[in-house]
Amino acid sequence: MNLRYQLKSNKTTFLRIFIISTLFIGCVLLLNKWKGIPIGSMTRDITTTAGVEIYVGFFSQVGFFFWIAAATLCMFTSFINHKSRGNIIFTEFLFLFGLLTLLLCLDDMFLLHESVFPYIFGIPQKGVFIVYGILIFFILLKYYQIILKTNYIILAMSFIFFAISISLDVIHPPNLNPYLMEDSVKMFGIVSWFFYFYSNATSIVSNLTTANKNSTI
């Protein structure tokens, strides 16, 4: 592909790369000036900064990968469905679940329900869970007809696992290792969540492929 053509056709992509990268760099500089947080504490690898072994937190980070993968699938599939003039409601459904997945990922990564909302906004941990529950309930209520046309049993499994994990986090039952039980059940929920949206993505791609083949016959 001609270099001049690439430079011309990718102007928007170059701009996006610059804006997004600059935004995150700006956040680092802002926190450094505002809160006095060392730049290295925000830019360096966690294991290097904390001086811990490389396996510390690996289980949690694997969960982040599945969260991010699920959010990417939702957003990308929503975009593909929109471009192919698919069901508008289904496009909205995937987009909103992509935003919800991103929120849950950020909460899991930065412990928003434990460290941010309670201490900065004064919202207790249980209150955060209630807000999340109400938000999810209204999304499910709005798009239940779409969900019933998908492999909803996998999504239901995910919610069951999350409910058990949250219950263990709030109740702290005795004689149970809280790290093993709570995080293991949450991992089942995250992986189930990923495979639910993976099944939606593959279904849409398969339908588009079939439609393209039929149009060329």
Side-chain angles (χ1 to χ4, degrees):
M1 188 179 295
N2 184 274
L3 178 59
R4 180 177 296 180
Y5 172 78
Q6 290 188 54
L7 292 172
K8 184 178 180 180
S9 62
N10 287 300
K11 287 182 179 179
T12 304
T13 302
F14 295 148
L15 181 61
R16 290 171 178 169
I17 293 171
F18 178 80
I19 291 175
I20 293 174
S21 301
T22 303
L23 176 64
F24 285 108
I25 295 171
C27 290
V28 170
L29 295 175
L30 176 63
L31 290 171
N32 173 254
K33 298 296 183 182
W34 181 32
K35 294 293 185 178
I37 303 174
I39 291 178
S41 297
M42 293 179 280
T43 60
R44 297 170 65 201
D45 180 79
I46 294 177
T47 55
T48 302
T49 304
V52 296
E53 300 293 337
I54 60 173
Y55 55 77
V56 173
F58 96 91
F59 192 79
S60 179
Q61 293 189 34
V62 169
F64 302 157
F65 297 152
F66 278 100
W67 276 131
I68 295 170
T72 303
L73 280 174
C74 288
M75 294 296 187
F76 185 72
T77 309
S78 174
F79 175 78
I80 293 297
N81 196 59
H82 173 71
K83 284 294 184 179
S84 62
R85 298 181 180 179
N87 189 314
I88 297 177
I89 304 300
F90 195 57
T91 299
E92 294 177 356
F93 162 73
L94 290 169
F95 181 75
L96 284 179
F97 261 98
L99 293 179
L100 176 63
T101 303
L102 185 59
L103 172 62
L104 295 176
C105 177
L106 292 174
D107 187 293
D108 201 12
M109 292 177 70
F110 301 109
L111 300 177
L112 300 182
H113 65 281
E114 291 184 10
S115 304
V116 177
F117 291 118
Y119 297 105
I120 297 180
F121 300 105
I123 304 175
Q125 181 174 326
K126 292 182 180 179
V128 176
F129 288 145
I130 291 174
V131 171
Y132 285 170
I134 293 174
L135 179 63
I136 293 171
F137 173 77
F138 278 109
I139 294 177
L140 293 176
L141 184 64
K142 183 176 182 180
Y143 297 105
Y144 77 94
Q145 292 181 330
I146 290 290
I147 295 173
L148 291 177
K149 297 178 182 179
T150 65
N151 293 317
Y152 59 85
I153 188 173
I154 304 176
L155 183 63
M157 283 174 52
S158 180
F159 282 123
I160 291 172
F161 287 129
F162 286 143
I164 295 174
S165 177
I166 292 173
S167 299
L168 293 173
D169 185 35
V170 174
I171 299 174
H172 299 295
N175 302 322
L176 287 178
N177 187 314
Y179 302 111
L180 178 62
M181 296 303 298
E182 178 190 338
D183 293 332
S184 296
V185 174
K186 184 175 72 174
M187 180 62 76
F188 274 105
I190 296 173
V191 175
S192 300
W193 186 274
F194 164 79
F195 274 103
Y196 171 70
F197 290 105
Y198 174 79
S199 69
N200 289 330
T202 54
S203 177
I204 286 180
V205 172
S206 177
N207 291 337
L208 289 176
T209 302
T210 303
N212 290 334
K213 287 182 178 180
N214 293 335
S215 64
T216 56
I217 296 176

